[in-house]
Amino acid sequence: MKFIRILYKIPALIILSIIGMILMGAFSSRDKSQKNKGIPTLKQKQVRKWWLATVIKIVGLNFTVKGDVPSPDQPALWVANHASWLDIPVVGSMGAGFLSKAEVRKWPVIGWLGEKGGTVYIKRGGVNASQRASQEIANKINAGDNILVFPEGTTSTAGDVRRFHARIFAPVMDHNLAVQPIAVQYLNDKGEPHSKILWQDQSFMSNLLGIIGESSINVILTFLPLIPAGEFSERKRIAELCENQIKSIVVKKASTENKSISSER
């Protein structure tokens, strides 16, 4: 059965990528001022959301959302723990663009789709690089698009959360933005962290094949209360609050989550 699941899911993902490119191209903005800012159009946001949600369906994740999903009229900097490459389609399917390193822009298909979907590509180093990144993130949030970032800077181990880096919250303090903390969990049917999610010692393709070959991976996405930036005077304090709130959800006994999975399906 595992081989059969892989056999039909891989072509489905390839076809979906082609459809995404066609739709994103078709809905490219003709408004030069919007295009120069890299702000996705409403149609592009809708395609992005649909495309990412479809990735989740093809992969075969059992998706549960908890907490209060933010209103579209409350755009914010979304911050989440980083457990897997799946975090991008999982959280992004709820309505967010992304922050990514500039090298990703050169990746075939993914880089182009990301640009059209409102991804902020950051070139590390250089004069005023952080200020430019902060301004670009603020521009997109103020234009009504949520931007997702991973303050840990790398993927964490199963059921754990690394320290949040305060510098990622610079746009919040510099431009008075709101912060939306989000906890992401991948669990097996026993409510324990799923063993197939970790990929530190694997290639992307090996991890992808391992995940899509699984019959059941439960994903729980928990939206925590929105945090107005005006409540803090230091980036470090916002980073600590978000880290602690997310950690209180992710790092706890598996048995508790097992009950949640069973009751919310």
Side-chain angles (χ1 to χ4, degrees), residues 240-254:
E240 289 175 346
L241 176 61
C242 291
E243 177 187 335
N244 290 334
Q245 287 187 343
I246 291 172
K247 189 175 290 186
S248 71
I249 300 295
V250 175
V251 185
K252 61 182 183 180
K253 295 297 183 181

Side-chain angles (χ1 to χ4, degrees), residues 123 125-135:
K123 186 176 182 180
V127 180
N128 298 324
S130 60
Q131 290 90 335
R132 289 196 303 271
S134 178
Q135 184 63 61

Side-chain angles (χ1 to χ4, degrees), residues 166-180:
R167 65 178 180 272
I168 204 72
F169 293 86
V172 176
M173 301 302 301
D174 295 345
H175 303 279
N176 195 31
L177 304 175
V179 182
Q180 176 63 67

